[in-house]
Structure formats: structure tokens, C-alpha cells
């Protein structure tokens, strides 16, 4: 039986290759990671859910044996991804300390239930990755399935690996941080670990995402590492060599949540006071703006004019976006706010022009 306990070390740093490929690659990566002194748990995928058949689908049981060997050599706990009852059975036989549920499995309630049933009474730690699609209820549903088979909540953790969206984005999987905040507020006692590797998709963004997670008070990081990333059979572009992983982890600043220095508290309170007053002003202005939209709705109705005049909206948007630089506000941010205001404004006009029977 293992003696790994979730929550005993914060931040928890998990690292290892995306996939166990050969005995040498697995052991060398794991031993070098352990030697860095910054890694608390070793990971490797031994069964890989791949988008297309024919891609490398993992080495299976052999990989479990290599990970068990890595555990003996390094003294570090080990984690693998499981997706079926059979995987769970094998992982437990090899004394795996932690299993994680992959993003492609969390989307499937049948698969989650099968894994949960297989883990019943095992005492294993389970980390649940967010589903591929931005559906918090699906993520929360998976947590509930594990809790319902009697796995204590303190043995369950969450991994935020970002969400898949249509179209080209900066990151392979968009963080959509507010969705993870929502999940945190639903399960405040649960460890929330960030997976910047699968969010980023390439090594260049792993540092900024890791620091963002630290600033957002995440409880740990799971980062992929490979002794020779360019030769990796899966996720080649996003893996760091162990030395790079060490430098990255050491460079992350896990700032304190609060400090009790009186000068700090005083200036923080002054700024918070200002923010509260500005917010009050901001929202009362928004409320006034919406009331004017309703009046416009009444005038349009009286004159039988359609709600949307796209040229007018285009002109507003252009005028405001042109001020982005002067206001020192990002165009994307301004655009999103404008869209939200516009949508609410249309809804208000619509309610006036087409009142519910
Ligand atoms: C992985 O951790 O290697 C993996 C496949 O992750 P995800 O389920 O987040 O895609
Ligand atoms: Mn991977």
C-alpha cells in the first residue's frame, strides 16, 4: 500500500513524461527529475487515449512495471492515467499511488463510473482533469461519482488542463480561468493543480501559465518532462528536459496569500476602498445606460423600427476601440465588454418591444 497523502505538500509538483516509451527513457527521466529535488511525484501515461487510431497508444503493463521501478529507485510516489476498470486493477497491482482521469475520460459518465466502481475501497488518490469541453457540471459530476463510491474528498484532487475550443487560439487548450474558479468555489477543500503543459501545447508558454497558476493560488503543477522531447512519441512540442523543468519550477514565485505588515494592510485597504467606490459608480452608470436602452426601445416600437441598426453599433464599437490605447485597456478586453453591454441592451429593447404575453 502506498503512503502518499494529498495535501501534505503544497505546492505539489508532479512531473514525468507524457508517455512511458521505453524502460531507459522512463527510468532516466524519472531519476533525473528526482535528482532535481523539486519534484514530489512522478507521472507517465501508459495507456494513451489518442485522437487518431494508429498514433502511439502507450506501452500498457510494461510501462507500469517501469514506473514501479522508478518508484523504488527514487522513493517518489507515482501516478498514471486510468480510463477503464482493467486499467485501475493493473495500476493497483503495481502499487501506483495516484491515478488521474484524463480530459477525454471525464467527458464520459459511463467511463467515470466504471473507474470509480473499480477504485472503491482502494485508498488510492484520484486526480480528475477537467473535461475537454468547458462544462463545469460534467467535471463536478465526476467528482460526485468518486465521492459516491466512498472515496474521501481529501483523496480527490482536481487538475485544470484547459479546454478545447474551435479555431486557432494562443494556447492548445484555453485556460478559461473563471471556469476553474467556479469549480474551486464548488469544492473549496479540494487541491487544484494546474497542468500548464496541456494548456500550452508548446514549451514557450509553460512558464507564464505556471506563474499565473501560482498567482491564482493553485495548489500545485503537473508538467511533462522527457529526456529528449524532440524524439517523444506523444506531445513532443510541450515537454521539457529535466534540467529545464528544474529551472522553471525554481523560478516560479509562489506569493503569499496575505501579509500582516500594517503598512501593507493599510495601503491595500485604501486601494480596495477606491475599487469599491469605482465599482459602485461603474455599475450605477451601466444601470443608467440600460434604462436609456429601454427608452430607445419604446421610441423604436412607436415608430416600428427594428432593434438592431448595425451601422450605429459598428460606429460605437469603432469609436470606443479607437480609444483603447489612450485608456490603456486591451482591445480584446474592451471588445468583450462592449459585446456584453450590447447584448444586454438588445435584450432590454426586446423586452420593451415584445413584452411577454
Ligand atoms: C496527459 O496527461 O498526458 C494527457 C493525455 O492529458 P489530458 O487528458 O489532459 O489531455
Ligand atoms: Mn501529454
Amino acid at each position: 500500500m502506498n503512503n502518499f497523502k494529498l495535501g501534505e505538500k503544497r505546492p505539489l509538483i508532479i512531473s514525468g513524461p507524457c508517455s512511458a516509451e521505453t524502460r531507459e527513457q522512463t527510468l532516466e527521466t524519472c531519476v533525473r527529475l528526482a535528482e532535481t529535488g523539486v519534484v514530489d511525484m512522478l507521472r507517465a501515461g501508459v495507456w494513451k487515449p489518442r485522437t487518431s487510431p494508429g498514433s502511439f497508444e502507450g506501452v500498457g503493463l510494461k510501462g507500469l512495471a517501469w514506473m514501479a521501478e522508478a518508484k523504488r529507485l527514487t522513493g517518489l510516489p507515482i501516478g498514471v492515467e486510468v480510463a477503464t476498470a482493467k486499467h485501475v486493477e493493473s495500476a493497483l497491482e503495481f502499487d501506483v499511488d495516484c491515478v488521474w482521469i484524463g480530459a477525454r475520460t471525464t467527458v464520459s459518465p459511463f467511463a467515470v463510473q466504471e473507474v470509480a466502481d473499480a477504485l472503491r475501497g482502494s485508498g488510492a488518490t484520484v486526480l480528475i482533469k477537467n473535461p475537454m469541453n468547458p462544462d463545469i457540471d460534467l467535471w463536478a459530476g465526476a467528482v460526485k461519482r468518486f465521492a459516491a463510491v466512498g472515496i474521501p474528498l481529501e483523496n480527490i484532487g482536481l487538475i485544470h488542463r484547459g479546454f478545447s475550443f474551435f479555431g486557432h487560439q494562443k494556447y492548445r487548450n484555453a485556460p478559461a480561468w473563471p471556469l476553474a474558479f467556479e469549480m474551486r468555489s464548488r469544492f473549496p477543500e479540494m487541491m487544484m493543480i494546474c497542468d500548464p503543459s496541456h494548456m500550452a501545447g508548446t514549451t514557450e508558454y509553460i512558464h507564464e501559465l505556471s506563474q499565473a497558476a501560482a498567482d491564482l493560488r493553485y495548489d500545485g503543477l503537473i508538467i511533462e518532462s522527457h529526456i529528449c522531447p524532440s524524439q517523444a512519441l506523444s506531445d513532443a512540442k510541450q515537454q521539457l528536459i529535466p534540467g529545464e523543468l528544474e529551472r522553471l519550477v525554481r523560478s516560479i514565485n509562489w506569493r503569499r496569500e496575505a501579509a500582516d505588515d500594517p503598512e501593507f494592510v493599510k495601503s491595500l485597504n485604501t486601494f480596495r476602498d477606491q475599487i469599491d467606490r469605482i465599482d459602485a459608480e461603474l455599475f450605477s452608470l451601466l444601470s443608467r445606460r440600460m434604462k436609456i436602452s429601454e427608452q430607445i426601445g419604446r421610441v423604436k416600437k412607436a415608430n416600428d423600427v427594428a432593434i438592431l441598426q448595425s451601422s450605429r453599433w459598428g460606429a460605437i464599437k469603432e469609436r470606443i476601440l479607437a480609444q483603447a490605447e489612450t485608456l490603456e485597456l486591451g482591445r480584446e478586453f474592451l471588445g468583450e465588454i462592449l459585446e456584453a453591454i450590447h447584448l444586454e441592451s438588445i435584450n432590454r429593447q426586446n423586452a420593451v418591444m415584445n413584452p411577454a404575453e
Side-chain angles (χ1 to χ4, degrees), residues 272-334:
R272 285 187 169 161
D273 229 41
Q274 289 174 12
I275 293 250
D276 289 349
R277 263 180 275 152
I278 291 176
D279 279 351
E281 226 172 285
L282 201 61
F283 290 102
S284 107
L285 279 174
L286 266 180
S287 155
R288 273 175 54 198
R289 192 189 191 286
M290 291 307 160
K291 291 206 173 88
I292 295 174
S293 293
E294 285 174 3
Q295 286 177 1
I296 292 184
R298 279 184 208 104
V299 187
K300 284 185 185 165
K301 183 174 188 178
N303 292 279
D304 219 11
V305 170
I307 294 182
L308 186 65
Q309 270 93 46
S310 33
S311 57
R312 160 79 181 146
W313 173 240
I316 297 185
K317 221 169 137 176
E318 214 171 285
R319 173 163 46 81
I320 296 190
L321 289 182
Q323 296 170 43
E325 230 167 87
T326 328
L327 294 170
E328 293 181 45
L329 293 171
R331 282 178 71 85
E332 199 179 324
F333 170 66
L334 271 182

